[in-house]
Amino acid sequence: MNVARQVLSGISPKPSIFSQGNKNLYQVLSVLPDHGVGSRVVPTKFLNNPSLNDSYYEITKVNLKPGLSHGRAWGVKVVKGRTMEHGKPVEIRNGLKYKWKLYSS
């Protein structure tokens, strides 16, 4: 019993992709109810830029591929508190390129 405990204590568990802070858009949406429809998400490049305060996407539609880390998403873009494109949902580009987080105002 002690030998097994020593062996297992030396093995560090591989971190899950969902426990890491750097997630693409589809990984963030895949763990939310209804794949995140109705939620607000923001790329970290918006968070790191003080001139883009109060900028985010409100998710309206999501199509995830079977692995839940790729797909397509649409949402209403809000920049500096103003709705873009007259409130019409647009496809969210660069979902894999940037790291994304849930938006909290």
Side-chain angles (χ1 to χ4, degrees):
M1 185 70 165
N2 287 336
V3 174
R5 188 173 291 147
Q6 288 175 347
V7 169
L8 291 175
S9 68
I11 299 172
S12 62
K14 184 176 179 182
S16 168
I17 195 156
F18 297 109
S19 66
Q20 298 172 355
N22 295 332
K23 299 178 190 173
N24 69 40
L25 173 63
Y26 311 109
Q27 291 167 336
V28 170
L29 296 176
S30 68
V31 296
L32 297 174
D34 200 21
H35 294 302
V37 172
S39 62
R40 294 177 176 177
V41 293
V42 60
T44 54
K45 75 173 193 170
F46 283 15
L47 294 175
N48 297 332
N49 188 343
S51 68
L52 291 175
N53 287 342
D54 202 27
S55 299
Y56 55 88
Y57 286 93
E58 187 164 346
I59 303 299
T60 58
K61 180 181 173 184
V62 178
N63 289 339
L64 293 176
K65 291 189 178 179
L68 302 179
S69 62
H70 292 80
R72 294 174 75 184
W74 292 263
V76 176
K77 187 175 184 179
V78 178
V79 177
K80 299 180 185 178
R82 294 185 175 148
T83 305
M84 300 285 108
E85 307 293 330
H86 304 290
K88 181 181 174 187
V90 295
E91 185 171 3
I92 300 174
R93 303 195 50 163
N94 300 317
L96 292 171
K97 192 173 193 179
Y98 301 117
K99 303 307 175 193
W100 294 74
K101 293 185 178 186
L102 287 174
Y103 177 77
S104 58
S105 50

